Amino acid sequence: MDKVLIIGASGHAKVIIETIELGGDYQIHGLIDTYKPKGEKLLDYEILGTEHDIPDFVSKGINKGIIAIGDNWTRFLMQSRIKEVSPDFEFVTVIHPSAIISPSVRIGVGTIILASVTINAEARIGNFCILNTDANFDHDSTIQDFSSLAPGVTVGGNVSIGRCTAISLGANVIQGITIGRHSIVGAGSLILHDVADFSLVYGVPAKEIRSIKEGESYLSKS
Ligand SMILES: CC(C)(COP(=O)(O)OP(=O)(O)OC[C@H]1O[C@@H](n2cnc3c(N)ncnc32)[C@H](O)[C@@H]1OP(=O)(O)O)[C@@H](O)C(=O)NCCC(=O)NCCS
């Protein structure tokens, strides 16, 4: 079994750790975190250093891992930093054994598909995405790199979601909608119309609330 590093040591990382343990495809070597002290533990695994220590691990043959950071922009920044210090580091894809995924679906590297997710025919999932617990992603829909579906999100068929966009807890998106990049759909929203790039929308039905900046936080209460 290949050894993997888990990058990020938050609550989201606990979910990823347990998903990898259940899947049985990889052996977890330890955690990497920018801020938490070396030696601290999360579940049964130790924090071994920061992203700047990754080249040392690669030189010892531990050259694979997954970024377990829930915030889309922070995950993007971490991926960029790792690419800089260790261009040969490989990102794995983590899929919970209970996920139901059509054989015609394509899923990128560094992406995480959690428990009870359903992905239907010919959907396309980019790199470094998160499809969180119980999300449903219907046929022919696409989600670009660094975007996320929070737990309980339902996305209809032929929907297009741009890069670095967050669809929050329990939102519903009807079929055929286009949602731009760097946007945030608030928890519990019902999306009946296209969503522009860089916008915050929420409500039932959802309305545009304001425009947002690249990297604006949407998980600050976690
Ligand atoms: C979109 C979101 C980031 C907005 O948060 P926010 O900007 O901090 O909003 P605030 O809490 O300051 O609320 C401002 C107002 O908007 C309302 N509001 C905020 N989010 C709302 C939502 N999703 N739907 C309807 N109204 C909402 C609040 O009730 C409040 O109204 P009030 O001023 O009359 O009291 C937040 O609703 C959200 O969805 N967070 C992500 C949750 C999530 O998916 N977590 C993932 C866990 S894995």
Side-chain angles (χ1 to χ4, degrees):
M1 247 196 286
D2 282 338
K3 290 183 175 175
V4 288
L5 294 169
I6 309 289
I7 299 132
S10 62
H12 180 59
K14 291 184 197 170
V15 182
I16 311 303
I17 287 170
E18 291 185 344
T19 301
I20 292 174
E21 286 176 337
L22 260 179
D25 296 326
Y26 300 106
Q27 187 188 336
I28 298 169
H29 186 66
L31 292 130
I32 295 292
D33 198 281
T34 314
Y35 305 105
K36 294 192 176 158
K38 202 170 162 174
E40 200 174 288
K41 280 194 154 186
L42 190 80
L43 297 177
D44 288 333
Y45 302 98
E46 211 171 295
I47 297 175
L48 305 172
T50 73
E51 60 274 27
H52 300 291
D53 297 309
I54 288 180
D56 289 343
F57 289 106
V58 172
S59 68
K60 291 174 194 146
I62 299 152
N63 64 346
K64 292 189 172 63
I66 185 85
I67 305 179
I69 296 175
D71 180 82
N72 292 332
W73 183 246
T74 311
R75 194 166 63 258
F76 165 75
L77 294 176
M78 178 57 86
Q79 184 264 353
S80 309
R81 282 208 292 275
I82 294 172
K83 231 175 160 180
E84 244 174 65
V85 297
S86 200
D88 297 331
F89 192 74
E90 282 175 40
F91 293 98
V92 300
T93 301
V94 172
I95 300 178
H96 195 282
S98 68
I100 300 171
I101 302 174
S102 150
S104 57
V105 164
R106 275 200 244 134
I107 301 175
V109 296
T111 283
I112 295 162
I113 312 288
L114 289 177
S116 300
V117 164
T118 302
I119 312 175
N120 284 337
E122 299 208 325
R124 298 282 174 265
I125 316 294
N127 300 320
F128 302 97
C129 291
I130 301 170
L131 271 61
N132 216 317
T133 315
D134 216 12
N136 288 285
F137 201 66
D138 211 348
H139 65 90
D140 301 296
S141 288
T142 59
I143 179 166
Q144 304 288 336
D145 300 352
F146 300 101
S147 287
S148 59
L149 306 183
V153 165
T154 299
V155 174
N158 292 302
V159 167
S160 164
I161 300 173
R163 184 182 165 90
C164 225
T165 279
I167 315 293
S168 302
L169 290 166
N172 292 306
V173 182
I174 69 160
Q175 74 285 351
I177 293 288
T178 297
I179 299 178
R181 64 198 163 94
H182 292 275
S183 288
I184 299 168
V185 170
S189 298
L190 173 61
I191 305 297
L192 299 176
H193 303 290
D194 290 355
V195 174
D197 297 341
F198 294 94
S199 49
L200 168 65
V201 302
Y202 56 65
V204 179
K207 300 264 183 283
E208 179 159 352
I209 305 301
R210 60 181 170 87
S211 62
I212 55 175
K213 296 188 198 82
E214 188 173 76
E216 210 170 292
S217 166
Y218 55 95
L219 297 174
S220 52
K221 287 172 186 151
S222 65

